[in-house]
Amino acid sequence: MPVTTGKRADAQRNVAAILDAAAACLIRDPDASVSDIAAAAGVGRVTLYGHFGSRTELLDAVFVRALTRAHEALDAVDLTGDAREALARLVASSWQVVDESRMLLVAAQRTLPAERIRDLHENPMRRVRSLLERGRAAGVFRFDLTADWLVAVFYTILHGAADEIGAGRLAPEAAADAITATLLAAFTPPGRPVPG
Amino acid sequence: MPVTTGKRADAQRNVAAILDAAAACLIRDPDASVSDIAAAAGVGRVTLYGHFGSRTELLDAVFVRALTRAHEALDAVDLTGDAREALARLVASSWQVVDESRMLLVAAQRTLPAERIRDLHENPMRRVRSLLERGRAAGVFRFDLTADWLVAVFYTILHGAADEIGAGRLAPEAAADAITATLLAAFTPPGRPVPG
DNA sequence: GTCTTGTCGAACACCTCTGTTCGAGTTAAT
DNA sequence: ATTAACTCGAACAGAGGTGTTCGACAAGAC
């Protein structure tokens, strides 16, 4: 992860171009080589190695940037008010992000250690967790399953939907509703009616 | 996939040993090389290539065998009677199978084309689908989401649970109950109370 | 306008893996 | 006991990747 400050202007431009190209290449092919990425960025391989010590380091930077951007985009979502409606809003904004970057996750899983990926997902998970706990306190989300598990269900369903879209079995315009309906049901406390 | 009939006894033994070793190696490391596998099987690399034309062909055979065995094991599950109870029984028998072979799936995803993997999953999916439709007809499972999506939810949750177990966030002895409770809620028709 | 910083292409060394060929030796079938 | 099927190790050829070094050149900083 090269320091962007204190570098020359063209160097900063190149770093940005490399990150963009890397994301694009890795989405197309999770095994994209450094040569491919450098070429796509319009940059020599040597230049790339001047900014990133290794392919792994580059992958890490790409992944961090994608997660950071997703985090910022999701910060705009209003999570106040009724927890169920907030969940619906969060899903509506999240599923596309997940869908776009799911190939990037595949690439990350092939090179980055599992622990690193879990660490980077901690921040996004916090958002879901706090919403979950708020809904629990309001009595609309269930207590009989652990918070860890319900958070995992949230992300699992999102990624599952992305896979289904990729396989052509789920229409993108139907995704948000299906995910929301499924999650609201999964989060409903036993004995309470499923919303919808 | 070499023909096991008509081969000499030691050849058949070797093929079996190779498949066993391959499964074991690939679970440990999804990128295990042919050399690793041959060594683990106590067999020369040349012998392995005598039975399997390529690494990909070997992977395919390993994956097919794992799915076939899982299919047979799951055939013992009683899926008659109340669809919700049948679902609970299916989950109880399925989640361990998924947990054990999830690393194998990762290995398969790195080498086999996505289409092939989908095709091989068709049979296992049929079982879930028929149970789902039976529960729908009985009025205990929802109609407002497509069957494709609900089947996907079933598998997604199972794989998600396996990942959580692998990450140490879900205790194996708690898995079956968590999965079952989640799926029963997700399958419950809107307006009807969540079981449990 | 100078000087530092960065870029470039080519070539290099190195590694790991795949798949094949060879001949000699071993094992099961009959 | 003979024969055909099988195994083995070593060695080969080839592809493709990573990361580094070199010297010449260009571009931004001041």
Side-chain angles (χ1 to χ4, degrees):
Chain A
M1 48 209 158
V3 189
T4 50
T5 67
K7 290 214 166 192
R8 231 173 57 183
D10 56 346
Q12 297 184 28
R13 257 183 289 137
N14 278 338
V15 169
I18 290 171
L19 287 173
D20 287 340
C25 287
L26 291 170
I27 284 172
R28 268 192 353 213
D29 172 19
D31 287 319
S33 72
V34 175
S35 310
D36 296 338
I37 295 171
V43 152
R45 219 169 83 258
V46 186
T47 302
L48 193 155
Y49 276 108
H51 292 296
F52 302 91
S54 68
R55 185 178 185 278
T56 302
E57 203 174 305
L58 170 59
L59 266 283
D60 193 279
V62 171
F63 197 55
V64 165
R65 198 180 65 152
L67 273 180
T68 303
R69 288 185 173 179
H71 184 75
E72 288 167 359
L74 263 41
D75 261 346
V77 179
D78 172 26
L79 293 184
T80 63
D82 183 275
R84 285 169 299 194
E85 292 171 11
L87 181 71
R89 285 193 294 271
L90 184 59
V91 167
S93 295
S94 294
W95 81 265
Q96 283 193 14
V97 173
V98 172
D99 187 41
E100 283 163 11
S101 55
R102 83 179 208 283
M103 293 306 287
L104 224 50
L105 176 61
V106 171
Q109 283 169 334
R110 295 198 188 182
T111 37
L112 267 40
E115 191 201 349
R116 174 69 175 152
I117 294 179
R118 278 196 282 113
D119 286 351
L120 289 174
H121 272 91
E122 212 168 277
N123 273 335
M125 294 218 294
R126 246 195 284 279
R127 192 198 326 269
V128 177
R129 180 179 296 268
S130 72
L131 174 58
L132 169 68
E133 313 231 307
R134 214 165 60 71
R136 275 176 156 188
V140 296
F141 291 159
R142 69 198 305 171
F143 265 107
D144 65 323
L145 296 176
T146 66
D148 275 343
W149 169 247
L150 291 178
V151 171
V153 167
F154 181 91
Y155 279 100
T156 295
I157 292 291
L158 245 57
H159 282 105
D163 288 342
E164 288 295 298
I165 292 172
R169 282 190 298 260
L170 179 61
E173 59 270 18
D177 285 346
I179 299 169
T180 304
T182 305
L183 284 176
L184 281 180
F187 283 12
T188 300
R192 299 277 303 265
V194 169
Chain B
M1 53 215 152
V3 189
T4 52
T5 67
K7 289 214 166 191
R8 232 173 59 181
D10 56 346
Q12 296 184 30
R13 255 183 291 138
N14 278 337
V15 169
I18 291 170
L19 288 173
D20 287 341
C25 287
L26 291 170
I27 284 173
R28 268 192 354 212
D29 172 19
D31 287 320
S33 71
V34 175
S35 310
D36 295 338
I37 295 171
V43 152
R45 220 169 82 256
V46 185
T47 302
L48 193 155
Y49 275 108
H51 291 297
F52 302 91
S54 70
R55 187 179 184 277
T56 302
E57 202 173 305
L58 170 60
L59 266 282
D60 194 279
V62 171
F63 198 55
V64 165
R65 197 180 65 152
L67 273 181
T68 303
R69 288 185 175 180
H71 184 74
E72 288 168 359
L74 263 41
D75 262 346
V77 179
D78 172 27
L79 292 185
T80 63
D82 183 274
R84 285 170 299 192
E85 292 172 11
L87 180 71
R89 285 194 295 272
L90 184 59
V91 168
S93 295
S94 294
W95 80 267
Q96 283 194 13
V97 173
V98 172
D99 187 41
E100 285 163 9
S101 55
R102 84 179 206 282
M103 293 305 287
L104 224 50
L105 175 62
V106 171
Q109 284 169 335
R110 295 197 188 183
T111 37
L112 268 40
E115 190 200 350
R116 174 70 175 151
I117 294 179
R118 278 196 282 114
D119 286 351
L120 289 174
H121 272 91
E122 212 170 277
N123 272 336
M125 292 218 296
R126 247 195 283 279
R127 194 198 326 271
V128 177
R129 180 179 295 268
S130 72
L131 174 58
L132 170 68
E133 312 231 308
R134 213 165 60 69
R136 276 175 155 188
V140 296
F141 291 159
R142 67 199 305 170
F143 265 107
D144 64 324
L145 296 176
T146 66
D148 274 345
W149 169 247
L150 291 177
V151 171
V153 168
F154 181 91
Y155 278 99
T156 295
I157 292 291
L158 245 57
H159 282 106
D163 288 342
E164 287 296 297
I165 292 173
R169 282 190 298 261
L170 179 61
E173 59 271 15
D177 284 347
I179 299 168
T180 304
T182 306
L183 284 177
L184 282 180
F187 282 11
T188 300
R192 301 276 304 264
V194 169

